[in-house]
């Protein structure tokens, strides 16, 4: 690949996928393939070797692999001036520091986006909830998932509750009003940093969350419904399109939705 | 009043209200007044004496008084051949038996309707939920109320859960699927006869309930929202219009919504 | 198969599937296979010949084929004393009459269920909406589907509106209150027999419908969400389990949800 | 009133209300009275004369009067160094320019907030919808109001649609996908700058709006419900508490929710 290729404003972005035969990776391959402004140039999985991505001129690599190989993959990309969008889990503070170190010594213009959640709707829901938190005296969260889920409440609901609790504390708000005197245990939900969270489990559901805000005479509801793992694809593609404009390390899709 | 008046099919039904200056009674007066096929002939409260209702030719009396006077009021109505629609609370099995005894010895055609809940939407919600219960492997209830409410879950939610549990048992259904292994206490709600019930308390809310049913690939939701005590008026008026066609004692609005 | 097998109360129902390699038929095979009280004994498609179903001792056949072969299939089943659950389309009044004629001459105990819609949630939604119609002065329908749908509103929404309109007419109700004076064309939806129906089309949606009822101070909402064609399977299985208890012709899943 | 009183950080803000016997003004009086950090020092209506507000040491005036007197009221406040929160309608560009002119010549620290809508939930809904617009290929609006409303869709829904249309245009987005070929007229709603808007009218409803966003495999819904004109009070009080920190003219509650 020449610099001309890499910087061509007119051509599609050349994308490689690591973990291309996994469930998420396979969806990424399909989504990249279907997008007019992106070109899938390398679909790589265990046993393939990474060099195919460089030979094919990948400008951005999407990594949905495993914690034990992702650091080597990232090092390899950064050394070659290839930007990366990473959905693989297992990033500790120490790991993030190492990635930052590699990026400081890399050629300029290399960006890495590491995101725990590529659902644009979920990320916007959290942003909006954080903003609304200080204007409503009451707030509760209801999350609804399929009955095979092991934890209750969901990680997204817990994270949303913590963001709301922080925003309320920063605005000097006290606890939400609640006169409950007689409660059948559990009726009022789980208490996550003072925010009540209710977890519904039902056949026929996939992944849904509602944040309910209330003040005198009005309520505001923010609801997000995911039906499929393909719901993460618009977020992954947004990352692919944006990562080269954000040199260095970016953590969370949140930063791209400003 | 002559028999002709009472039986006239063309004229409006002549209605008296006992407890007319109470919150509910005052709303009943307004609602009767606004209905073309009803005529408010007597609005009676503490200190007025009941005889005004007989003198005014009331055919149906609506009673929203207190447990300590309602039995005397009912006896008085039944003795005079006046039908009654009763929203006053405090009816034990023994009290209901006494009312039945009076009705057996009364002139034919006298009906008494005693209902704990005149919300047509709430009663239909419970009927529909009972019917749907046996076709969906999963069911949960979310009720949402203003934050001044003392009990959680609400009486209506608890009653709905019990009706659903009975319908599931009658259909030989086992527990709803739920793989939860790690639960922050309360996240999965209260367990009412095996049905999970979640209670939300928020400023800006009045009285709301959702029953969520789920099976493979689909969900069915029945939701009821009350904004005001005037929401009971259509049920009270339905009672007034129907009670004379139901001689004897009728318990619950349910029986009128067949 | 002996009579003993056929009538055995303890054993699973022996099921054959016609159209077994089609999208719906394949799902039926999977669903029958997964049910403890059913046994998939024959999966038959174009070119296989029907006799395999008789040889395998099928007690009930599920037919998801095409209008040009379904009549021959049904005749074959009825002649052999095999009951049938039919999701194939194209049944005219004349065709239904011919099926009735065959059933009259068949061995007793043969049942045929022909249903245009096996979604239990959708069928219950229509039943509940029909019942609620007479108690609420206002009613509107909102249906929401994926953006590839060609017609607006959906067939289910149109059918629901007609059932509601009939129930309102039977109860002597006039039009719903509506003071609209200035309307941007289309804002108030389509008028289906006097019931307003709104059709939303959006990426990320599958098939959803809400029926909104309103009266003084309260609303009642019935909502159904389908995520997948597997949502029809509980209805198909209900048909398989019930059809032999309903000798003769049954039209619509509705009759089984009484 | 001394400067000390006016600037005292510890004491409550001294509030006067113009139009205090009108529906909105009376609610404002109640809300100010109930707030610990505000003190109602003057409740003024037609015939009372404005001077009572100055004599009582009002620091902020809330004006819910009529277009024919509001300009004189504002001039009077600004001349006396009293800030104002204005819900009265009828502000043209020419009127706003005159207010700006008065403020330039006033003592420093006088602020005027003129807002067409004091519903915090509605304003946040519009902000969030504008932000989400560029990330979802599909968007539609459903607004639901009581049946006495004269226009369809509502002003808020129309305004929301225009904000969304502008945000989509700015992001270079084309029309939302929609394959509809056969439409019963009106089913797909009103077209407001390319955004479909559906207006439901029903007894039992007050004022509700949903903005539905959809993309591959997920939807995001922002919903606002108002039950009462008291729903405007938190917005009015936010204005009262903020207006003195914003010298000059501020238009719209939006600016305070940044």
């Amino acid at each position: 690949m020449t610099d001309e290729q890499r910087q061509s404003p007119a051509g599609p972005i050349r994308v490689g996928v690591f973990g291309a035969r996994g469930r998420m990776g396979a969806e990424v391959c399909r989504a990249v393939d279907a997008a007019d402004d992106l070109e899938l140039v390398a679909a790589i999985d265990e046993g393939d070797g990474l060099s195919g991505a460089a030979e094919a001129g990948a400008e951005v690599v999407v990594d949905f692999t495993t914690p034990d190989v992702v650091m080597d993959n990232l090092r390899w990309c950064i050394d070659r001036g290839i930007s990366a969008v990473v959905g693989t889990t297992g990033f500790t503070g120490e790991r993030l520091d190492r990635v930052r170190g590699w990026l400081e010594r890399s050629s300029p213009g290399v960006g890495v986006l590491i995101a725990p959640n590529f659902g644009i709707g979920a990320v916007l829901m959290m942003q909006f909830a954080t903003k609304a938190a200080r204007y409503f005296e009451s707030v509760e969260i209801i999350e609804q998932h399929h009955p095979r889920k092991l934890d209750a409440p969901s990680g997204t609901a817990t994270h949303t509750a913590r963001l709301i609790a922080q925003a309320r504390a920063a605005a000097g708000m006290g606890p939400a009003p609640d006169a409950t005197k007689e409660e059948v245990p559990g009726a009022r939900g789980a208490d996550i940093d003072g925010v009540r969270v209710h977890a519904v489990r039902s056949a026929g559901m996939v992944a849904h969350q509602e944040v309910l805000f209330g003040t005198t005479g009005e309520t505001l509801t923010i609801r997000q419904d995911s039906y499929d793992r393909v719901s993460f694809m618009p977020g992954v593609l947004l990352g692919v399109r944006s990562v080269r404009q954000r040199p260095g390390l970016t953590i969370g899709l949140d930063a791209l939705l400003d």
Side-chain angles (χ1 to χ4, degrees), chain A:
Chain A
M1 186 181 61
T2 65
D3 277 342
E4 202 185 337
Q5 275 181 304
R6 181 172 287 147
Q7 292 164 11
S8 162
I13 302 173
R14 301 172 67 82
V15 181
V17 176
F18 290 179
R21 291 194 295 273
R23 291 190 316 171
M24 288 297 291
E27 292 291 350
V28 173
C29 289
R30 265 190 286 278
V32 168
D33 221 45
D36 286 344
D37 61 336
L38 307 179
E39 185 180 351
L40 180 65
V41 298
I44 286 170
D45 211 308
E46 219 180 337
D48 293 341
L50 306 181
S51 59
E55 286 157 18
E59 296 163 290
V60 178
V61 155
V62 179
D63 188 295
F64 276 94
T65 58
T66 54
D68 56 319
V69 300
V70 67
M71 291 300 283
D72 288 342
N73 292 352
L74 271 177
R75 175 100 207 227
W76 184 93
C77 288
I78 293 168
D79 283 352
R80 276 152 195 80
I82 301 175
S83 292
V85 172
V86 184
T88 309
T89 57
F91 280 87
T92 58
E94 186 269 334
R95 283 191 158 202
L96 295 173
D97 283 342
R98 280 165 61 201
V99 175
R100 273 190 204 96
W102 297 337
L103 281 162
E104 275 162 20
R105 295 188 301 272
S106 75
S107 57
V110 178
V112 170
L113 168 67
I114 299 177
N117 186 342
F118 279 100
I120 288 178
V123 171
L124 287 175
M125 179 178 61
M126 285 186 262
Q127 282 191 356
F128 296 164
T130 303
K131 168 126 193 224
R134 87 188 96 151
Y135 300 112
F136 291 86
E137 62 195 277
S138 295
V139 58
E140 304 209 358
I141 297 173
I142 303 170
E143 55 91 333
Q144 310 183 345
H145 283 85
H146 58 81
R148 298 172 306 286
K149 190 167 178 58
L150 298 178
D151 54 326
S154 69
T156 299
T158 301
H159 188 50
T160 309
R162 292 208 169 118
L163 292 170
I164 289 169
Q166 285 165 20
R168 287 175 68 97
M173 299 169 75
D178 181 0
T180 307
K181 283 271 186 301
E182 294 174 45
E183 181 193 358
V184 179
R188 292 285 293 112
D191 181 326
I192 305 287
D193 292 1
V195 177
R196 295 287 173 164
V197 181
H198 310 268
V200 173
R201 296 293 171 263
S202 173
M205 289 181 174
V206 187
H208 319 265
Q209 182 172 314
E210 256 181 22
V211 187
L212 303 169
F213 291 100
T215 185
T216 313
E218 74 165 334
T219 59
L220 179 70
T221 305
I222 304 166
R223 180 181 173 110
Q224 196 267 339
D225 296 89
S226 292
Y227 299 111
D228 203 329
R229 81 177 65 94
V230 297
S231 70
F232 294 122
M233 292 309 122
V236 172
L237 299 195
L238 178 67
V240 169
R241 289 173 182 126
S242 311
V243 68
R244 293 181 306 161
Q245 276 82 58
R246 305 183 67 94
L249 179 61
T250 303
I251 298 172
L253 196 63
D254 205 51
L256 273 58
L257 306 173
D258 50 352

